[in-house]
Amino acid sequence: MSRTSWQTLVLIAVGCGLIAFVVLENLHARGSVGIPTSYITGVGPAVLAVILFRLGRNVRKLVRQEPTSMTPIGASRVVVLAKASALVGSALVGYFTAQVVVALGNITAPYPREQALAAGIALLACLGLVIVAMIVEWWCYIPPDDEDDPPSGGANHSASAA
């Protein structure tokens, strides 16, 4: 599995942000108050970032062959979680950016000001999730083995070793 490039994440964030902006502006033009955002919205991505970071540290220990409770199967699950978190987190960064931009259009009113602040907090939490996910993906990279080294374990020994 290849690492997620930052260019892909930026493209996803910009695309989702533009789509969300158009939808939110159309709702606003029709007289709707928009999609409410609570201050608690940023807790989910923040908690996921902390969990992912801790799991990623265990994978890093596994790759460095340091003592850890992480298994190779568990490490593969962590890298998939990191990739999914990076992709979904970047989409949410775009969405919450659009919410902040729309709310800034009428920032003097109490409701849009509250919406901008709540969306801004969620935006920062999602941005943190994306950054942690990219770091964990980096930690999960397993360098290719040297061709001169014999394979570790298993019955796949070369004929020259006999």
Side-chain angles (χ1 to χ4, degrees), residues 80-158:
V80 169
L81 177 62
K83 189 165 192 83
S85 296
L87 295 172
V88 172
S90 65
L92 289 173
V93 164
Y95 170 72
F96 288 120
T97 301
Q99 273 201 333
V100 169
V101 169
V102 168
L104 288 177
N106 190 14
I107 197 69
T108 56
Y111 181 73
R113 184 175 38 244
E114 184 178 318
Q115 284 297 105
L117 187 59
I121 291 169
L123 169 65
L124 292 176
C126 291
L127 191 59
L129 175 62
V130 171
I131 291 168
V132 167
M134 290 195 67
I135 290 170
V136 170
E137 276 192 65
W138 182 263
W139 286 346
C140 291
Y141 176 72
I142 299 174
D145 291 335
D146 290 338
E147 293 180 20
D148 298 335
D149 292 341
S152 61
N156 296 337
H157 297 287
S158 63

Side-chain angles (χ1 to χ4, degrees), residues 53-72 75 78 136 138-142:
F53 185 79
R54 292 192 54 131
L55 290 170
R57 284 183 35 209
N58 284 333
V59 172
R60 188 176 189 196
K61 287 179 183 179
L62 180 71
V63 169
R64 290 181 172 180
Q65 298 178 349
E66 296 174 4
T68 182
S69 61
M70 183 62 66
T71 64
V78 171
V136 170
W138 182 263
W139 286 346
C140 291
Y141 176 72
I142 299 174

